[in-house]
Amino acid sequence: MNWTKQQLRTHIQVIQGEKPPTIVLQNASYLNHVLRKWMNANIWIYKDRIVYVGSKMPQNDEGCEIVDCEGKSIVPGYIEPHVHPFQLYNPQTFASYAAKRGTTTFVSDNLMLLPLPNEKALTFMKEINELPFSFYWWCRYDSQTKLQNEDEVFSDKMFNQFLDHPYVLQGGELTNWPQVLKGDDKTLHWMQETKRRGKKVEGHLPGASERTLTKMAVLGVDCDHEAMTGEEAVMRMSLGYTTSLRYSSIRPDLPKILEEMLALGVTNFDRVMMTTDGSTPTFYEDGVTDEVIRIALEKGVPTEDAYAMVSYNIARHYGFDHLYGMVAPGRIANLNILDNPMTPTPTAVLSKGLWVNDELEANVDWDRYDIKPYQFDWSITEEDLSQTARAGIDMVNSVITKPYRSEVDFGVPELSTEHDECFFSLIDHKGNWRISTMLKGFANNVSGFVSSYSNSGDLILIGKSKKDMVAAFNRMKELGGGIVLVEDGEVVCEIPLTLNGGCSTQPMEVVMEQQASLVKALKERGYPFVDPIYSLLFFSSTHLPYIRITPTGIVDVLKNEVLFPVVMR
Ligand SMILES: Nc1ncnc2[nH]cnc12
């Protein structure tokens, strides 16, 4: 946030009584994180900034909105430190929904920006901050899949431009850490460059041993959000890591982790934060950050720590506590007004000094950044679904897959519903290449299912009937991207995703309903796991074991080897 000299002088005039504040929150009990105390004060706001917190009221209050906060509790606006803002929702729709529940600052994954020309991505990161929310980003070191043009996307130019960008706070998340340990000096170089610029490195270290965590700390990793137990969280803390505790649709571990941390005697939460890690839409029905605070309070975490873990601790970790995470002069006016400290869903929210309500405008001209509906000037036929790779993919859960050898005859137009094996293809969204194999464990009765929502943005096709798979593709093509389920030639369910095939422009509430209908339809047809949306996202993600379908081919993750390459169409 760069206020001009003139703006800074105006802020001083407000403090001196020469100009009125825009809003005063009078008689508030607020959480002072430096003293770790609830205190009473009048909070003066001028436009987007807190200019005074203390006992005085302004002498000049002409046109100033004075809000009586007697009996209320005020805390800093919540910060989500680890957002994947493209899980069917988009950054704006997620922020608009979260802000109503008090989360107004977002540290986000740049994965959805990688397909854009660099200049567009950089402008997007700057201009999205013209919305009444605060957006920051991370810079990935790899695509967490195997792109055909990986080196082109992850060029020196891209790294320099992203890491120099004022809204990029960290490198990572470091999903390719096994390669770094095995000698990938390119990634290590960019980790060093991240640190040289005074920015953080976010890990991605599920199941890591004490030795691995030690090595990664020595190589520069500052934070990790992959602890799944209290013990793992404490191990990270004892090794000096900032530790994010996760409550997400695929890993809702927070309640258990907190119980175990408290049982292990943890009393200092200064280097702990909490995240919902890009959950799918319906997971947010009960709240966003407000929900994780509720869980922390229920588990007996002191109120001061529960709120610090979603504001002050995060702001200090990222080095922006001069702007966020405190109710103090100079900070951006992101404030949540609560009925009391035990009810973290605010009754009123200020973001950049504006009241968050239905009237608050937040529109993005996506086209300007080349984020638009997919356009297909090509088609597929049933021949495109014929087998090209012999390594079948067997689902262990929503996101983990292992190789298997299928005994089923692939050369037929339709498979029996007596078993749980389906035709499975990944097709380039530009139509140049494809790869087809078998998928086991997805469902017995899914006939034609197509998704442009995937890690790489390419098209996933799953089903028992090649005819219905082609029909689902055709409908997805008409929509300009999306997820479509077809049965006997009829569309059963669809989610239009018109922002580069991955995000909807509809409000969260609409996308939640669409997701719920789709999940219900898939479960009725035999999908046995928790989260089919994450299955779609991660089929091509090489940060998960053991076998992945990627734009270069079917990959053995542990060996980092392409088993079967894609074929040209
Ligand atoms: N590594 C990841 N990439 C994209 N979305 C995610 N959601 C949770 N983890 C993710």
Side-chain angles (χ1 to χ4, degrees), residues 24-41:
V24 171
L25 306 178
Q26 191 177 11
N27 253 330
S29 160
Y30 79 97
L31 183 52
N32 184 314
H33 280 295
V34 177
L35 291 168
R36 211 173 179 276
K37 243 169 97 172
W38 293 89
M39 301 177 72
N40 281 314

Side-chain angles (χ1 to χ4, degrees), residues 74 76 126 148 155 174 187 200 207 218 244 273 276 289 304 311 343 363 376 378 386 412 421 486 488 514 558:
I74 298 190
K126 184 165 166 282
Q148 289 182 358
S155 65
L174 185 60
T187 302
K200 300 290 180 194
V218 168
S244 296
M273 38 207 213
T276 60
T289 306
E304 296 81 356
S311 56
T343 51
N363 298 315
F376 303 92
W378 51 278
S386 64
V412 292
E421 294 180 56
V486 166
D488 301 327
Q514 291 172 329
L558 297 185

Side-chain angles (χ1 to χ4, degrees), residues 79-108 128 131 133 135 275-285 287-289 362 366 503-509 511-512:
I79 304 170
E80 218 324 334
H82 193 88
V83 187
H84 302 279
F86 44 72
Q87 315 294 20
L88 309 185
Y89 44 78
N90 70 55
Q92 176 265 313
T93 50
F94 181 67
S96 291
Y97 180 85
K100 287 192 186 146
R101 291 145 184 87
T103 310
T104 41
T105 303
F106 308 88
V107 182
S108 292
I128 195 163
L131 297 185
F133 317 114
F135 289 95
T275 177
T276 60
D277 193 12
S279 295
T280 44
T282 53
F283 190 75
Y284 291 112
E285 265 160 4
V288 186
T289 306
W366 295 103
C503 302
S504 170
T505 50
Q506 294 296 312
M508 272 293 264
E509 290 81 354
V511 185
M512 280 172 173

Side-chain angles (χ1 to χ4, degrees), residues 12 32 100 141 207 211 219 244 282 311 313 406 455 466 560:
I12 299 300
N32 184 314
K100 287 192 186 146
Y141 298 118
R211 180 184 288 212
L219 295 180
S244 296
T282 53
S311 56
N313 297 358
S406 176
N455 190 132
K466 288 181 181 167
N560 191 22

Side-chain angles (χ1 to χ4, degrees), residues 154-168:
F154 290 88
S155 65
D156 291 358
K157 183 171 172 223
M158 183 286 280
F159 278 118
N160 279 314
Q161 288 184 324
F162 267 78
L163 290 175
D164 282 339
H165 197 284
Y167 291 124
V168 171

Side-chain angles (χ1 to χ4, degrees), residues 380 385 422-425 446-450 461-474 486:
I380 63 163
L385 307 173
C422 290
F423 300 118
F424 186 30
S425 297
V446 166
S447 196
F449 186 49
V450 168
L461 298 90
I462 299 172
K464 292 283 185 182
S465 153
K466 288 181 181 167
K467 196 163 165 218
D468 279 344
M469 291 166 77
V470 172
F473 171 89
N474 288 338
V486 166

